[in-house]
Amino acid sequence: MKKIKNNSEVKKANRNRVFRYINSKEQTSMPEISAALHMSGPTVLQIVRELSEEGVLSEVGECKSTGGRKAKALASVKDIRYALGIDITRNHIGIVLTDLTKTVKSHVRLREKFVFEDAYFQTLGKVLEEFIDKAQVDREKIMGVGISVPAIIDMQRNYITYSRALGLYDISGEEFSRYIPYPCILINDASAGAATEWISGCPKENMVYLSLSNTVGGAIIFQNASDFSESSYHPEGVFENMYIGNHWHSGEFGHVTIHPGGKTCYCGKKGCLDAYCSAQRLTELVEAGPERQLEKFFEELERGNPKFREVWDRYLENLSIGIDSLRMCFDCDVILGGYVGSCMKPYLRDLGMKIAELNIFEGAGDYISVCKFQNEASALGAAIFYIEEFMKGI
């Protein structure tokens, strides 16, 4: 955590720590807060009083007796604010609603081909408003809308520098929000997916998120050390812990070369990880509608189709090269996300065996796990940005 300079900053930091801790629990008590955060009882009492007066905390009964007087049970008011997340891909629009729980309260996914035209953005605004109406959300409580896109994004300027996936270069975020009457910010899709994994109770101090969808991307989250022992409680917000690089280019794992002079990637280079490990390397075998292509691939794989098994073995070999490189660079756990990552759990042992052959330090690939969120991870992560902004102001 950043060095505290004066009493005002100490008080603000303590308020934020207390609120984040309470919000991470279904309910808690002042003695529990004091013990977990190593704060004195009077300090916790004062902060709880202030937060209760501001309407962000409430008493929700009594805790179980531990032999003495029952402590009052406290909980954050989870629906005091809402945020929305939109995930834009080449062929879909996904929308998610969340509140201070940072969980999906409602979601929808629509097939809509992306075109950089006014009619598309009109549709975007229309389906968002219809979604809000159906969810019966008080619009006064909406903090903002995070928009996840497969692009290099300068978040300080809310600006797409380029997106080969969408065919965009030097585009302001205002183009996307022209028909959305709420604050909006653009967020890289893999960064948004990583944020979702981080807040889901991920016990990792440091984490690399590898997104395996129609394009391959990723994100890097560094925490390194925490004053708190509870793995589900992070003292700072996820976006403060995310490494973005000097030019917002960090996590572009899809364009790491694994086979020099190999297959041509959509970026123009040869031998990129993306050219070997995007979901399209699997779905191009399948004769099915676009909604079921990946599902159909794994169905054929489970049936023992030799052609599909050959492709899958080759896919795992290439993926193991990429993952081993990430492990060598960052020496931390690797979470597999995206379309393929969400299907990987039954095949982790096979992947681990291939990685073990490459890794010079560990004998197995037990540092690899699959994403917890299989649906709308990027949309939820984009929405979480605004929930984090609210919580930072507590």
Side-chain angles (χ1 to χ4, degrees):
M1 296 180 69
K2 294 179 181 179
K3 186 175 180 181
I4 305 302
K5 295 181 180 180
N6 55 52
N7 288 337
S8 176
E9 289 183 347
V10 170
K11 182 178 179 180
K12 183 177 179 180
N14 284 340
R15 274 170 55 95
N16 197 262
R17 290 172 62 198
V18 168
F19 181 77
R20 284 183 179 274
Y21 182 82
I22 295 171
N23 191 63
S24 72
K25 304 291 184 179
E26 196 168 316
Q27 67 177 47
T28 185
S29 66
M30 283 191 278
E32 183 180 316
I33 298 166
S34 295
L37 303 185
H38 309 294
M39 285 186 186
S40 69
T43 297
V44 172
L45 175 61
Q46 179 61 31
I47 292 172
V48 166
R49 281 177 176 170
E50 291 175 1
L51 295 175
S52 297
E53 290 172 0
E54 293 167 17
V56 296
L57 296 186
S58 63
E59 292 183 10
V60 292
E62 295 181 332
C63 298
K64 291 181 180 179
S65 175
T66 56
R69 183 178 174 182
K70 291 182 180 180
K72 294 178 180 178
L74 301 168
S76 61
V77 181
K78 300 293 197 296
D79 64 354
I80 195 169
R81 290 291 186 275
Y82 291 96
L84 293 143
I86 299 176
D87 181 35
I88 292 176
T89 72
R90 282 182 287 193
N91 297 302
H92 292 91
I93 296 172
I95 305 177
V96 158
L97 171 73
T98 191
D99 56 12
L100 266 61
T101 62
K102 301 180 184 177
T103 59
V104 176
K105 311 306 291 184
S106 183
H107 71 95
V108 68
R109 190 167 180 82
L110 308 167
R111 187 160 182 84
E112 187 73 34
K113 186 175 180 61
F114 178 82
V115 286
F116 191 68
E117 296 177 358
D118 192 69
Y120 177 88
F121 297 112
Q122 283 187 23
T123 298
L124 189 64
K126 179 183 176 183
V127 297
L128 179 66
E129 291 297 332
E130 290 173 348
F131 175 80
I132 294 170
D133 287 338
K134 187 174 182 179
Q136 298 182 327
V137 175
D138 181 354
R139 284 172 166 79
E140 295 297 319
K141 292 184 177 182
I142 295 175
M143 289 282 296
V145 181
I147 303 176
S148 160
V149 288
I152 302 296
I153 296 170
D154 181 338
M155 288 183 66
Q156 290 181 342
R157 295 191 298 153
N158 194 30
Y159 202 85
I160 292 177
T161 58
Y162 63 89
S163 169
R164 291 185 183 271
L166 299 181
L168 300 177
Y169 303 89
D170 297 327
I171 300 295
S172 169
E174 293 178 359
E175 299 286 350
F176 285 75
S177 60
R178 64 181 80 167
Y179 295 105
I180 299 176
Y182 311 100
C184 292
I185 189 166
L186 298 177
I187 299 175
N188 170 267
D189 57 345
S191 296
T196 295
E197 288 302 311
W198 183 256
I199 59 87
S200 68
C202 175
K204 317 300 181 188
E205 289 183 348
N206 303 311
M207 181 184 92
V208 165
Y209 179 80
L210 179 61
S211 177
L212 302 168
S213 289
N214 288 335
T215 57
V216 176
I220 306 156
I221 299 178
F222 291 147
Q223 181 166 278
N224 273 315
S226 169
D227 293 333
F228 316 108
S229 60
E230 304 223 10
S231 62
S232 63
Y233 170 65
H234 302 298
E236 293 184 354
V238 60
F239 292 99
E240 281 74 15
N241 287 309
M242 195 170 291
Y243 176 72
I244 58 174
N246 293 341
H247 304 95
W248 305 87
H249 294 170
S250 69
E252 287 296 320
F253 305 135
H255 303 296
V256 172
T257 302
I258 64 168
H259 293 301
K263 293 181 181 178
T264 301
C265 177
Y266 72 88
C267 74
K269 286 171 53 181
K270 291 183 180 294
C272 291
L273 181 64
D274 193 293
Y276 294 88
C277 290
S278 81
Q280 295 177 76
R281 300 291 77 77
L282 305 178
T283 58
E284 62 192 6
L285 277 179
V286 178
E287 294 181 5
E291 300 295 333
R292 288 200 70 243
Q293 283 183 325
L294 196 59
E295 180 184 350
K296 185 70 174 176
F297 174 87
F298 283 105
E299 286 177 0
E300 290 296 322
L301 184 63
E302 288 302 303
R303 289 192 184 102
N305 187 314
K307 184 177 181 180
F308 284 70
R309 169 53 63 182
E310 181 183 354
V311 169
W312 181 240
D313 285 343
R314 201 157 53 237
Y315 183 94
L316 291 182
E317 287 175 5
N318 289 314
L319 181 59
S320 67
I321 296 171
I323 292 174
D324 181 64
S325 296
L326 295 178
R327 180 69 170 183
M328 292 300 101
C329 289
F330 300 106
D331 187 29
C332 64
D333 289 76
V334 179
I335 311 295
L336 304 180
Y339 301 156
V340 180
S342 65
C343 300
M344 284 291 296
K345 190 172 183 179
Y347 310 101
L348 277 182
R349 184 174 178 275
D350 294 341
L351 178 61
M353 291 174 63
K354 292 183 181 297
I355 290 173
E357 296 175 1
L358 301 174
N359 194 302
I360 62 173
F361 295 118
E362 296 98 359
D366 55 2
Y367 56 86
I368 309 160
S369 58
V370 300
C371 57
K372 294 183 179 180
F373 280 78
Q374 297 185 357
N375 297 307
E376 305 304 346
S378 291
L380 178 58
I384 285 167
F385 175 86
Y386 280 102
I387 297 298
E388 284 291 329
E389 288 297 293
F390 173 74
M391 292 178 68
K392 281 194 294 185
I394 294 294

